[in-house]
Amino acid sequence: MSDFGVVIPADAQPLAALERERQFRAVFFDAADAMLILDDERTVLEANPAACALFSVAEDGVVGNTLDALIVDDDGELGVGWRELLALGEARREHHVAVGESAGGSNTRLVECSYRARVYANRHLCIARDITDRRLLEERLIQSEKIESVGRLAGGIAHDFNNLLTAILGYTELLLVRHEGNDPERGDLEEIQRAGQRAAALTQQLLAFSRKQVLMPKDVDLNQTVAGLKSMLGRLIREDITLHCELSPTAATIRIDPTQLEQAIINLVLNARDALPAGGDVRLEVTRVERPRSGVPADHLSAASEYIRLRVIDNGVGISPDAMAHLFEPFFTTKAVGKGTGLGLASVYGIVRQSNGFIAVESAPGSGSIFTMHFPAVATSAKDCVEAAGSSNTAPGFETILLVEDEDSVRGIIGAVLRRQGYHVLEAATPRAALDLFKVQAGKIDLLLSDVVMPEMSGPALAQQLIGVCPELRVLLISGYTEMAIPFDSNSPGINFIGKPFRSSVLTERIREILGTRPGHSRISRDGQDIV
């Protein structure tokens, strides 16, 4: 009887055994997976070509050797797995093996070994698969999900803080108007205002990390941006650090918010400066490249064939593996207490990802660091549709404004500021209440001033409904957060935007400007960030 239960005549058994051995050897030597035949002492008796390729050695370098000698950093795991194999008939373990010329194990690969006991007499089979790339991809996915979840938390916190800061800074500004320069209490109020402004800067960085920041993208040539920043960057770094800028010989145009791009570059250069305590070199490189074949995140949706690559390179102290694992997490920092917020690299990560790009880091202790950003290339520079800022007009108002804001403190300060300017303000805590007011006052309302993120209905959705009834209605949306139920088009007639937190004076200037222009002229601004 054969091993498969088929009765074979006695005179045919030697031929059947030879046929089985021939089939086994054909499968063994032609298999894509690495296969090893081991004895009870874990000595390699046979190895197929795939196994020789996996270990990067000739057959005689594998056969006759023990499996123990091929594995590095074992920590007793092989012995535990072997005992399990002999007891249960099968086992699966992961091992690190040395490859190439690094027999000492400095260059290793992660291998998953599946063992089957006594496939023939006291011979055991080991099937090995290189899972290094798969494990790296899994770790990147886990890290991406971790950053995404932390980002959602950070964005929610920043949104709530922006509402609080809008009220704090608004009321502070009103009090400053009442206290002249020689008032003994004015100094205390100015300190409150400065503290609020610093807090607002932190929330902007949190929003950048969480990719919830309101961006105003335009076509930007990275060559011009880097060249324009060179002088300022030279003042930010120390005299013992040399700054080099290597620009692309052709236009390097990308679609991005110019202010956020500059912030990302500055943060990376400052990070490089801090990695050079004894001086050194920082180099910025701008290059037009093809779409990378590896390293592109799985959630990167751009199908662009050409990218603009921006690298920030330093020859500093480098980054440890432990720090690399947390590099882009908010509030993670290796700097001394009081020397950094831990939001610089986190905000860079958010800015790059929100701008349809991706970022990677190469570093090792003592070997410097390379931060590489890729952005989809834009073929031609489109004309910027954002109008230049006009002169401020703070003349008293008389028009009727429908104010829709679900946060009581924010609604209170905005209403108070607008009434002091002479406007007639109708307040609504919810979009439904605003719709009811509009039905009664539709012909009298000149401006809809609405928060973006609200229960029941988003600000853009509310604006869409009201403009459908009254096409001449002007709209000013306010928010510090871009998690919109219905995104608004910045080029839509009559639609304007201001980011939280904002100064009261900036709000009134914007409203006067909007109401002083003809309907159909929209404008988006970053005035709300003037305080940062």
Side-chain angles (χ1 to χ4, degrees):
M1 182 176 291
S2 73
D3 292 343
F4 300 100
V6 179
V7 178
I8 302 174
D11 57 351
Q13 288 182 12
L15 292 176
L18 289 173
E19 179 62 18
R20 287 199 305 274
E21 182 178 354
R22 187 192 68 79
Q23 292 176 351
F24 170 77
R25 295 184 70 83
V27 172
F28 181 82
F29 284 100
D30 292 340
D33 288 330
M35 291 187 177
L36 305 172
I37 300 296
L38 312 169
D39 64 12
D40 288 337
E41 304 301 323
R42 299 198 288 268
T43 300
V44 180
L45 303 179
E46 288 197 72
N48 69 351
C52 298
L54 175 63
F55 295 106
S56 301
V57 294
E59 183 179 358
D60 56 3
V62 179
V63 175
N65 216 336
T66 63
L67 187 60
D68 305 60
L70 299 173
I71 293 175
V72 298
D73 301 328
D74 175 57
D75 296 329
E77 188 67 20
L78 179 58
V80 174
W82 194 258
R83 289 192 293 272
E84 180 182 327
L85 168 70
L86 297 179
L88 303 178
E90 61 181 27
R92 179 174 293 179
R93 287 292 186 276
E94 293 179 2
H95 308 292
H96 285 90
V97 300
V99 297
E101 300 177 355
S102 78
S106 59
N107 185 15
T108 62
R109 304 286 291 179
L110 182 63
V111 173
E112 180 184 70
C113 291
S114 299
Y115 300 99
R116 294 297 298 272
R118 304 178 186 90
V119 292
Y120 180 76
N122 63 339
R123 301 295 185 256
H124 315 287
L125 175 66
C126 171
I127 301 176
R129 293 180 178 176
D130 188 340
I131 61 170
T132 308
D133 295 334
R134 187 184 80 188
R135 185 54 50 81
L136 181 61
L137 186 61
E138 290 172 352
E139 291 175 353
R140 286 178 177 173
L141 181 60
I142 292 172
Q143 181 70 2
S144 178
E145 290 175 347
K146 179 181 179 182
I147 289 179
E148 186 68 26
S149 62
V150 174
R152 286 194 295 270
L153 174 63
I157 292 173
H159 172 253
D160 292 341
F161 265 93
N162 272 337
N163 282 331
L164 295 173
L165 289 169
T166 298
I168 292 171
L169 291 170
Y171 282 114
T172 302
E173 192 167 355
L174 287 181
L175 290 172
L176 282 170
V177 173
R178 299 178 185 175
H179 295 74
E180 300 298 332
N182 57 353
D183 193 309
E185 295 183 355
R186 185 176 178 87
D188 295 337
L189 291 172
E190 290 175 343
E191 284 299 320
I192 294 173
Q193 187 180 54
R194 280 191 286 269
Q197 292 170 356
R198 289 194 296 270
L202 291 178
T203 61
Q204 290 300 319
Q205 289 181 298
L206 279 174
L207 287 170
F209 164 73
S210 61
R211 290 177 273 171
K212 306 299 182 186
Q213 197 170 28
V214 180
L215 301 182
M216 291 37 155
K218 58 187 292 187
D219 288 354
V220 176
D221 188 338
L222 260 176
N223 284 335
Q224 296 178 5
T225 300
V226 171
L229 287 175
K230 185 175 181 180
S231 177
M232 183 185 70
L233 293 175
R235 294 192 296 269
L236 290 176
I237 61 178
R238 302 186 308 275
E239 293 182 357
D240 58 351
I241 299 175
T242 303
L243 179 67
H244 307 273
C245 295
E246 298 179 12
L247 306 181
S248 170
T250 58
T253 307
I254 62 176
R255 186 75 177 174
I256 194 171
D257 184 309
T259 303
Q260 296 304 303
L261 173 62
E262 292 177 0
Q263 179 185 331
I265 294 173
I266 291 170
N267 284 349
L268 288 176
V269 171
L270 291 177
N271 187 72
R273 178 200 66 185
D274 294 340
L276 295 163
D281 298 303
V282 176
R283 189 165 72 254
L284 275 65
E285 296 179 353
V286 179
T287 314
R288 180 181 287 269
V289 297
E290 295 182 355
R291 182 184 178 92
R293 296 184 178 181
S294 61
V296 181
D299 59 348
H300 182 65
L301 302 179
S302 174
S305 59
E306 275 195 313
Y307 281 75
I308 305 301
R309 186 182 69 194
L310 172 61
R311 280 181 168 173
V312 179
I313 306 169
D314 69 74
N315 58 350
V317 296
I319 305 170
S320 69
D322 291 340
M324 284 282 284
H326 305 282
L327 202 58
F328 294 118
E329 295 177 11
F331 304 114
F332 174 80
T333 179
T334 58
K335 300 175 184 177
V337 176
K339 297 296 184 180
T341 63
L343 287 173
L345 293 181
S347 64
V348 171
Y349 175 88
I351 290 168
V352 173
R353 295 302 302 273
Q354 193 176 4
S355 302
N356 206 22
F358 55 94
I359 183 170
V361 186
E362 302 171 56
S363 185
S367 301
S369 303
I370 303 175
F371 286 79
T372 303
M373 294 168 283
H374 284 86
F375 300 96
V378 175
T380 56
S381 179
K383 182 181 179 181
D384 181 23
C385 63
V386 180
E387 299 178 10
S391 59
S392 298
N393 185 350
T394 56
F398 59 88
E399 294 92 343
T400 299
I401 297 175
L402 175 57
L403 171 60
V404 190
E405 169 63 67
D406 60 308
E407 187 70 32
D408 293 342
S409 60
V410 177
R411 191 174 67 254
I413 181 59
I414 293 177
V417 168
L418 295 180
R419 289 187 180 95
R420 292 191 182 196
Q421 285 294 117
Y423 294 105
H424 177 52
V425 182
L426 304 174
E427 294 187 17
T430 66
R432 298 296 179 192
L435 288 172
D436 293 338
L437 276 173
F438 193 80
K439 290 178 182 177
V440 178
Q441 303 282 347
K444 302 177 182 178
I445 295 175
D446 300 289
L447 173 72
L448 169 66
L449 177 59
S450 174
D451 190 17
V452 168
V453 182
M454 297 182 292
E456 302 180 350
M457 186 186 305
S458 72
L462 174 64
Q464 191 176 40
Q465 288 197 28
L466 300 188
I467 290 175
V469 176
C470 182
E472 299 297 307
L473 179 68
R474 298 171 179 86
V475 177
L476 177 58
L477 298 173
I478 54 175
S479 182
Y481 191 60
T482 60
E483 194 69 22
M484 303 177 189
I486 302 177
F488 72 93
D489 182 0
S490 62
N491 294 318
S492 296
I495 302 293
N496 299 267
F497 180 84
I498 186 172
K500 294 178 183 177
F502 44 76
R503 288 177 177 170
S504 300
S505 56
V506 170
L507 175 65
T508 55
E509 288 171 6
R510 171 53 56 80
I511 290 175
R512 187 67 265 153
E513 181 182 320
I514 294 170
L515 292 175
T517 59
R518 298 189 311 275
H521 284 69
S522 64
R523 184 172 160 223
I524 297 227
S525 171
R526 192 183 300 281
D527 288 344
Q529 296 180 18
D530 286 351
I531 62 173
V532 177

